[in-house]
Amino acid sequence: MDMMANLALGFSVALSPFTLMLAVAGCFLGTIIGALPGLGPSNGVAILIPLTFTMGLDATSALVLMTSVYYGAMYGGRISSILLNIPGDEPALMTTLDGYPMAKQGRAGDALVLSGVASFVGAFLATIGLMLLAPMLARVAYLFGPAEYFALYLLAFCTLGGMASNNQAKAALASCIGLGIAMIGVDSSSGLPRLTGGNLHLYDGIDFLVAIVGLFAIAEIFFFIESHGKGSSLGVKLDKVRIPWRDIAATKWTMLRASGVGFVAGILPGAGASLGSFLAYMSEKSIAGPKGGFGTGVAKGVAAPEAGNNSAAGGALVPMLTLGVPGSGTTAVLLALLMTLNITPGPTLFTDRPEVVWGLIASLLIANVVLLLMNVPMVKIFVKVLMVPPWVLLPGVTMISFVGIYSLSGSYFDLLLMVGFGLLGYILRKLDIPTVPIILGILLGGKMEDALRRAMVLSDGDFAFLFSTPIAIGLWIAAIAGFVAPMFLRGVLKKPQAVTD
Amino acid sequence: MASDRIFGLVTLFVALAYIASATQIQTSFLSDPVGPKAFPMLIGAVAAICALVMIFKPDPDPDWPAARTWGGLAIAVIVLICYAYALKPLGFVIPTIFAAGILSYQISPRPLPAIASGIGLSVGLFILFKFALGLGLVAFPKGWF
């Protein structure tokens, strides 16, 4: 009953004409961003966050807009996967395996509509899961003290790093870079400056938005300059778009199973949508066996990863909202948004700011319906976006990033720092050092140190206190397993270089 | 191999410098058992270990771009730095025409589309930011109009 009342509160927030308009705009913009090769949900949200602030939106509106962009980008990623054989973002990678062959067989329209429906099923079920699970997890989170939070942050770094790179040392290094950056500025407990090198600009620390936009958006332009913007002309023709009822009926159980797998993958801190789509595809492939014809352009091979990755996107919101630990790269960016809006994610969010949480959940449900309605009849419009040449698109993205950061701080130092982060992002991604743990480090570094210091104050400096409760021990074991397991599973979980989610 | 080793070596120096500067952090009279130095030093130590792993167990080299592309990337960085300095004194429109035009030319080296892209993006984005999103952008240097 409680939940119905909360949901009613959420809808009362989300159904105001202005919020509804933001949700529609966010979905539209998100789908376009997701469809463009190279721009994933993390980049999209990263570029738009600074603009959200300069538009002066309140917390709920900003959150609704950004999560609509997030869900939209997750939907849009499939478009370039199917038509160009280039995933718009990494979670859409698995969709290329059957989506592009299906399009080459002249069934591009069917693949697009089917993947749109699968995305809807995945995201919708995940939002229901979020509604049911998040309040429960929030109650468990009340049992967390500083020792448990320290172990939880460690778990996030270990699992995210483990999944994001092919080399554990590089993943750990990325986390250290982020944590190291987070230490710059005034120490919260003593009020004294740390590691600023005497530079006054650094007394406030390095703004995570500057780092995010630099590492994601500015780094992207360097990649395009390197590739001279090749590989973005339409690969296959899109003829008449109609609803493939037969394919939808044939894949209904696939969608449901993939949604379940994706949701669980999304909840794991750090694992994210890429793992969701990968596991959903692989499990359906093993269920179908060799006769399933996976990889040759079968409907199930399109439905499974799309349901999986969109479901994981919803799942990733569970740890972010309840524990303040993002479940994926994009939710790390969304966490930055929440923190800048002075909203502290965690168990108390559900009691202190119910209108924010339930408004968000309600708008996710609305965004999903909007996205389904947009993505089936309007798919041809989104396909047109793929024709925007990169030599217009990428300079445009860069200018938007500059204006976004400049209008927030008005400081050229932040812009220079952003360019520096762009260059760093380019080199790191070349060396297969993931950039998402850096963001996570900048976001969680202060909190992690705070948890450690509070734990030490409580125990009078006894490090054994960090392993003193069953929850903390469980989290430590999970963290170590999350860091070590990928070394043995590397053959199975071999991932491509660029990790944006 | 060499890329990882060089990067590892640079990282090792940075990590050691980071630890050294962490030792210089002042502690206040309200110090806790851990203090403000310990966590940064721990991070520096872990980073140094990771750097050593990269030096002694490097991955194969990535495909680095050719020398000409490096030149292009250097120009892009210089353009972006100049753009950062130019936005305040010169306003939005003129620096954006140049920055967007040059970046566009670097992605696809054709002069006319690059010029069109620079002018189009500059004017289009200014209208979007100023009038649709309501940002307080200045179009031209002060005193021009």
Side-chain angles (χ1 to χ4, degrees):
Chain A
M1 218 37 231
D2 236 16
M3 185 182 299
M4 295 318 284
N6 284 329
L7 203 57
L9 167 73
F11 274 108
S12 71
V13 175
L15 280 175
S16 79
F18 180 65
T19 324
L20 211 55
M21 189 194 76
L22 285 177
V24 174
C27 289
F28 188 77
L29 218 55
T31 312
I32 288 176
I33 289 169
L36 294 165
L39 291 185
S42 338
N43 304 42
V45 177
I47 298 161
L48 292 174
I49 283 183
L51 286 180
T52 314
F53 288 116
T54 48
M55 283 163 69
L57 294 179
D58 63 77
T60 315
S61 307
L63 212 52
V64 167
L65 179 65
M66 286 296 116
T67 44
S68 302
V69 171
Y70 173 35
Y71 264 33
M74 294 303 298
Y75 266 68
R78 76 201 205 286
I79 297 176
S80 58
S81 293
I82 291 170
L83 293 178
L84 304 177
N85 204 22
I86 304 169
D89 50 44
E90 208 209 318
L93 183 71
M94 303 308 284
T95 313
T96 57
L97 300 180
D98 279 274
Y100 188 64
M102 211 168 151
K104 277 208 294 193
Q105 292 160 16
R107 300 184 63 210
D110 288 359
L112 283 172
V113 175
L114 176 66
S115 57
V117 173
S119 299
F120 172 78
V121 173
F124 192 80
L125 291 178
T127 312
I128 304 282
L130 172 70
M131 266 164 56
L132 298 171
L133 204 65
M136 273 196 272
L137 197 61
R139 276 196 284 276
V140 175
Y142 274 116
L143 302 172
F144 278 44
E148 287 80 5
Y149 266 110
F150 183 76
L152 180 73
Y153 294 138
L154 200 69
L155 171 67
F157 285 113
C158 288
T159 47
L160 182 67
M163 290 312 303
S165 173
N166 292 322
N167 182 327
Q168 302 305 87
K170 290 182 173 180
L173 177 63
S175 303
C176 289
I177 295 173
L179 289 168
I181 292 171
M183 296 299 110
I184 296 171
V186 173
D187 173 31
S188 57
S189 9
S190 64
L192 294 165
R194 288 196 294 182
L195 305 157
T196 55
N199 188 332
L200 284 176
H201 291 290
L202 292 175
Y203 272 50
D204 284 341
I206 291 176
D207 195 328
F208 35 66
L209 291 178
V210 172
I212 287 170
V213 178
L215 287 170
F216 288 129
I218 304 296
E220 206 62 47
I221 191 146
F222 297 137
F223 276 99
F224 267 82
I225 288 173
E226 185 188 335
S227 68
H228 299 290
K230 284 193 188 87
S232 51
S233 55
L234 269 187
V236 287
K237 248 185 109 174
L238 179 64
D239 293 328
K240 205 166 179 261
V241 177
R242 56 192 165 72
I243 299 174
W245 293 110
R246 193 179 291 173
D247 284 338
I248 293 171
T251 54
K252 59 179 185 292
W253 298 117
T254 297
M255 289 183 202
L256 288 177
R257 278 193 299 266
S259 302
V261 170
F263 186 68
V264 174
I267 291 175
L268 297 175
S274 308
L275 182 71
S277 70
F278 175 80
L279 289 180
Y281 185 88
M282 293 313 273
S283 61
E284 284 306 309
K285 191 179 172 184
S286 63
I287 289 171
K291 283 182 188 163
F294 271 64
T296 58
V298 291
K300 281 184 181 174
V302 174
E306 278 307 312
N309 83 34
N310 285 278
S311 174
L317 289 171
V318 175
M320 188 197 80
L321 289 174
T322 54
L323 302 169
V325 175
S328 68
T330 319
T331 40
V333 181
L334 283 175
L335 180 67
L337 172 74
L338 282 172
M339 286 161 81
T340 325
L341 291 166
N342 281 330
I343 297 170
T344 313
T348 49
L349 183 62
F350 285 77
T351 42
D352 294 353
R353 304 289 298 270
E355 80 288 356
V356 172
V357 182
W358 292 97
L360 171 71
I361 290 174
S363 47
L364 285 176
L365 290 169
I366 294 167
N368 250 315
V369 177
V370 171
L371 279 164
L372 182 71
L373 294 176
M374 266 185 194
N375 271 273
V376 175
M378 288 167 67
V379 76
K380 283 202 154 186
I381 296 174
F382 293 119
V383 169
K384 290 239 170 15
V385 173
L386 295 179
M387 293 175 188
V388 176
W391 48 268
V392 175
L393 179 74
L394 266 295
V397 167
T398 312
M399 302 302 126
I400 292 172
S401 307
F402 265 77
V403 170
I405 293 295
Y406 183 69
S407 51
L408 268 186
S409 66
S411 140
Y412 73 91
F413 181 78
D414 278 351
L415 295 177
L416 295 179
L417 215 52
M418 183 176 77
V419 177
F421 273 110
L423 203 57
L424 181 72
Y426 172 78
I427 293 170
L428 293 181
R429 272 167 60 185
K430 274 281 179 191
L431 293 170
D432 189 28
I433 298 173
T435 48
V436 170
I438 300 180
I439 302 298
L440 204 61
I442 300 176
L443 285 176
L444 299 183
K447 290 172 156 222
M448 193 171 175
E449 189 196 15
D450 193 42
L452 177 69
R453 284 166 80 169
R454 277 195 296 134
M456 290 302 106
V457 168
L458 286 176
S459 65
D460 208 15
D462 180 10
F463 277 93
F465 183 73
L466 293 175
F467 318 95
S468 58
T469 63
I471 297 178
I473 294 169
L475 290 168
W476 273 93
I477 292 171
I480 294 166
F483 191 70
V484 175
M487 293 185 200
F488 299 101
L489 297 172
R490 196 61 74 207
V492 189
L493 294 170
K494 186 82 185 159
K495 291 180 77 72
Q497 274 208 350
V499 175
T500 52
D501 194 301
Chain B
M1 305 277 274
S3 307
D4 268 17
R5 290 211 163 110
I6 294 167
F7 189 82
L9 209 59
V10 172
T11 311
L12 185 63
F13 280 121
V14 174
L16 293 177
Y18 191 83
I19 294 171
S21 50
T23 57
Q24 304 297 313
I25 296 170
Q26 288 177 302
T27 40
S28 74
F29 62 96
L30 272 172
S31 67
D32 49 60
V34 173
K37 291 180 186 179
F39 197 62
M41 285 165 73
L42 184 73
I43 295 165
V46 177
I49 294 168
C50 297
L52 285 173
V53 174
M54 280 181 76
I55 293 169
F56 291 109
K57 211 169 156 267
D59 285 338
D61 271 340
D63 295 326
W64 289 109
R68 238 184 98 196
T69 312
W70 274 117
L73 289 172
I75 293 171
V77 172
I78 293 166
V79 166
L80 292 177
I81 290 172
C82 294
Y83 186 56
Y85 278 110
L87 263 178
K88 205 167 201 168
L90 296 181
F92 179 79
V93 174
I94 297 169
T96 306
I97 290 177
F98 282 100
I102 295 170
L103 291 178
S104 175
Y105 183 80
Q106 286 188 294
I107 291 172
S108 174
R110 287 174 301 155
L112 277 182
I115 293 169
S117 163
I119 296 172
L121 279 171
S122 176
V123 175
L125 288 176
F126 182 76
I127 292 169
L128 177 77
F129 290 140
K130 182 87 182 173
F131 302 107
L133 300 178
L135 303 189
L137 277 184
V138 180
F140 294 103
K142 274 183 188 157
W144 270 32
F145 293 101

